[in-house]
Amino acid sequence: GAVVSQHPSRVICKSGTSVKIECRSLDFQATTMFWYRQFPKKSLMLMATSNEGSKATYEQGVEKDKFLINHASLTLSTLTVTSAHPEDSSFYICSARKNYEQYFGPGTRLTVT
Amino acid sequence: RKEVEQDPGPFNVPEGATVAFNCTYSNSASQSFFWYRQDCRKEPKLLMSVYSSGNEDGRFTAQLNRASQYISLLIRDSKLSDSATYLCVVNRRSGNTPLVFGKGTRLSVIA
């Protein structure tokens, strides 16, 4: 069964609005979760590392004020895309480590019109 | 230079064929190595870890050469269901650290 869930699986929003994506670890605690983004026919690119109870660590080139990450509990991290633009349209995937394996959520496909 | 580089593909092979994918990584301090499989519009899923001694899982064989910073995946007796994108993945450090993905190699197995 699923180890990591994401919600929503698909979202279409208008330019300028904000979108929140949830990532949950199921039946285990994840002090660290990772957020990736994948454009069509491109590799997964790490955006940020989400740390429970502290600030997220962002990769170079990722705007922390645009991609807000909150890891308020040991099973939930959220990514908010603020003031979304069409170029933010992408596949957003989170992951968490359980035992020795990293599991990925099913992804959220964001389309900004 | 990208941290993880793979054959660009696509590979179009008939059923039953043997196909090999190659990958190189640039960070010599990398600790762990994996092959993931990603189906179209889905999340990646772990296919197998890669160990220095080489390891096999059914029709799949993975090899690692730390000196050359080279990883390979061999698929024997290809099935239609093997059609997917294969991602070479490296973990920079041990522990709970993010994975670094190659761009992936697309495989199409044809009947």
Side-chain angles (χ1 to χ4, degrees), chain B residues 53-98:
Chain B
S53 55
N55 48 299
E56 187 174 307
D57 183 2
R59 297 180 293 110
F60 299 86
T61 301
Q63 298 275 354
L64 167 66
N65 185 321
R66 285 188 182 268
S68 304
Q69 294 177 203
Y70 171 90
I71 307 163
S72 66
L73 176 68
L74 184 76
I75 305 176
R76 291 182 299 277
D77 189 22
S78 300
K79 310 291 185 191
L80 294 175
S81 57
D82 293 334
S83 298
T85 297
Y86 290 82
L87 305 167
C88 179
V89 183
V90 170
N91 199 333
R92 292 168 180 161
R93 302 182 299 278
S94 59
N96 197 5
T97 53

Side-chain angles (χ1 to χ4, degrees), chain A residues 36 38 43 97 102 105 109, chain B residues 38 41 43 95 97 99 101-102:
Chain A
Y36 294 84
Q38 186 176 35
S43 61
R97 188 182 172 106
Q102 276 211 19
R109 192 160 300 280
Chain B
Q38 186 174 25
R41 303 174 81 85
E43 78 275 22
T97 53
L99 302 176
F101 286 80

Side-chain angles (χ1 to χ4, degrees), chain A residues 18-50:
Chain A
S18 294
V19 175
K20 181 186 282 189
I21 303 170
E22 294 185 348
C23 177
R24 293 182 184 273
S25 58
L26 305 177
D27 300 324
F28 72 101
Q29 295 179 337
T31 55
T32 305
M33 292 184 179
F34 306 103
W35 286 97
Y36 294 84
R37 178 170 55 182
Q38 186 176 35
F39 292 106
K41 299 186 179 181
K42 300 291 185 183
S43 61
L44 276 79
M45 296 299 296
L46 178 67
M47 298 177 67
T49 300
S50 173

Side-chain angles (χ1 to χ4, degrees), chain B residues 29-47:
Chain B
S30 298
Q31 297 284 329
S32 308
F33 311 90
F34 311 90
W35 283 100
Y36 274 71
R37 169 190 171 134
Q38 186 174 25
D39 292 289
C40 189
R41 303 174 81 85
K42 298 285 187 181
E43 78 275 22
K45 294 191 176 176
L46 180 65
L47 179 65

